[in-house]
């Protein structure tokens, strides 16, 4: 079994407003706010590197769980691939920063589905390793650095923001019990979004350094494919994880859904029969990649939208192309 026992979020102080995005992109501000669903988003300040933000969120999650770093057995880092240093693992750094001196760990990267993937891995670790009692999942994200606001093909990523998020998972409850997860990949879109330079295929040079930005390789092809698979992908993983847990969408009290344009957000809710007040739309935060479910959960808990007895769903999707969902139940006491 696995219980979510603590949450932590770190958000940088600086903000980019809808007006600033409009100015950089040439879009009317009402389009940024109403069509893209971005009112503002956190952007990095000095020292806000991804692994450092992850470590700050991790410290908050441990405090929230009432667990010390010394009690952590495993650190699962979901720090984004674009991070403090290239060719570097961040799990050891997070362990060092939170004094998890005896923990071992590794990095997981499945883009915006990384947190759901980490939950799946944590389930497996608890099942296979009886000595594992506490798992720390932590990530940092600032892919907003890689957005060219003059490129209309990446408009759907204008919401990319910066921040850190973390969760403490324990073998024993009570708490928010992880019941099931589902993952799905569409390999057709494997190369749909990428940074075209800086890897072995095209090493960065003084001449191409300006192209170190996220790009869509085949805009029309990606649009056509996503129109066919995006919503079905969400429904498949959400309904599949609910089925595995013995529930349906009608049983959900809250859905932690990543930030996406308002029309897509509404389509997911309507397709599942979920009311808008059973979800928090992240217009004031933008998109923190794989950390959105953590942020949404914390906001919902702080607002009293979830509590003991709540059935909670998490859902995310990211380039690659990946979908992930999880179902959790907040137990009043162990086993109930």
């Amino acid at each position: 079994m696995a219980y979510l026992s603590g949450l932590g979020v770190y958000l940088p102080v600086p903000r980019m407003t809808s007006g600033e995005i409009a100015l950089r992109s040439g879009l009317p501000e009402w389009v940024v706010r109403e069509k893209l669903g971005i009112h503002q988003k956190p952007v990095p300040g000095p020292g806000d590197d991804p692994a450092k933000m992850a470590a700050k969120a991790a410290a908050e999650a441990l405090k929230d769980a009432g667990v010390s770093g010394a009690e952590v057995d495993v650190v699962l880092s979901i720090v984004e691939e674009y991070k403090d240093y290239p060719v570097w693992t961040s799990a050891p750094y997070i362990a060092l920063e939170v004094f998890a001196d005896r923990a071992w760990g590794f990095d997981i990267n499945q883009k915006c589905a990384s947190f759901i993937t980490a939950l799946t891995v944590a389930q497996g670790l608890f099942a296979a390793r009886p000595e594992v009692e506490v798992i720390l999942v932590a990530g940092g994200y600032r892919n907003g650095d890689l957005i060219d606001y003059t490129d209309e093909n990446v408009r759907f990523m204008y919401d990319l923001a910066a921040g850190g998020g973390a969760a403490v998972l324990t073998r024993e409850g009570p708490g928010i019990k992880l019941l099931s997860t589902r993952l799905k990949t569409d390999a057709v879109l494997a190369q749909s979004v990428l940074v075209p330079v800086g890897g072995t295929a095209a090493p960065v040079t003084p001449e191409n350094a300006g192209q170190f930005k996220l790009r869509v390789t085949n805009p029309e092809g990606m649009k056509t494919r996503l129109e066919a698979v995006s919503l079905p992908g969400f429904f498949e993983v959400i309904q599949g994880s609910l089925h595995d847990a013995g529930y349906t969408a009608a049983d959900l009290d809250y859905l932690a859904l990543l930030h996406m344009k308002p029309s897509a957000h509404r389509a997911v809710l309507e397709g599942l029969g979920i009311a808008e007040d059973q979800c928090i739309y992240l217009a004031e935060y933008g998109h923190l990649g794989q950390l959105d479910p953590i942020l949404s959960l914390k906001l919902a808990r702080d607002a009293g939208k979830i509590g003991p007895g709540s059935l909670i769903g998490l859902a995310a999707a990211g380039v690659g192309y990946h979908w992930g969902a999880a179902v959790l139940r907040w137990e009043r006491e162990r086993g109930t």
Side-chain angles (χ1 to χ4, degrees), residues 256-274:
L257 193 59
L258 83 167
H259 185 271
M260 59 182 83
K261 64 182 182 179
S263 60
H265 178 90
R266 288 191 295 270
V268 172
L269 297 187
E270 289 169 4
L272 295 169
I274 296 173

Side-chain angles (χ1 to χ4, degrees), residues 118-162:
L119 293 179
T120 306
V121 172
Q123 270 189 320
L125 286 172
F126 282 131
R129 300 274 185 172
E131 73 277 13
V132 173
E133 296 288 340
V134 180
I135 297 174
L136 172 64
V137 180
Y141 189 91
R142 56 178 285 177
N143 280 8
D145 293 359
L146 303 177
I147 294 302
D148 177 358
Y149 292 93
T150 67
D151 182 356
E152 65 179 21
N153 292 322
V154 300
R155 187 174 294 173
F156 69 100
M157 294 189 287
Y158 286 178
D159 59 351
L160 298 191

Side-chain angles (χ1 to χ4, degrees), residues 79-121:
V79 170
E80 183 52 50
E81 189 176 22
Y82 172 67
K83 55 183 182 290
D84 313 34
Y85 309 103
V87 197
W88 180 66
T89 52
S90 50
Y93 172 81
I94 295 168
L96 179 69
E97 288 296 297
V98 299
F99 306 102
D101 301 325
R102 64 181 184 83
W104 53 271
F106 52 91
D107 290 27
I108 297 172
N109 177 36
Q110 199 71 354
K111 292 294 177 274
C112 299
S114 293
F115 181 59
I116 312 295
T117 305
L119 293 179
T120 306
V121 172

Side-chain angles (χ1 to χ4, degrees), residues 203-226:
V204 69
T205 66
E207 291 74 30
N208 68 15
Q211 288 302 306
F212 195 84
K213 297 286 184 182
L214 282 163
R215 303 292 185 193
V216 177
T217 58
N218 179 2
E220 284 305 312
M222 180 176 174
K223 181 176 183 292
T224 300
R225 182 70 177 179
L226 282 182

Side-chain angles (χ1 to χ4, degrees), residues 44 46 51 61 73 75 92 122 125 157 187 194 199 207 210 262 277 282 292 309 319 331:
D73 298 297
V75 176
L125 286 172
M157 294 189 287
L194 47 76
E207 291 74 30
D277 64 358
L282 302 174
D292 278 6
V319 297
E331 294 186 346

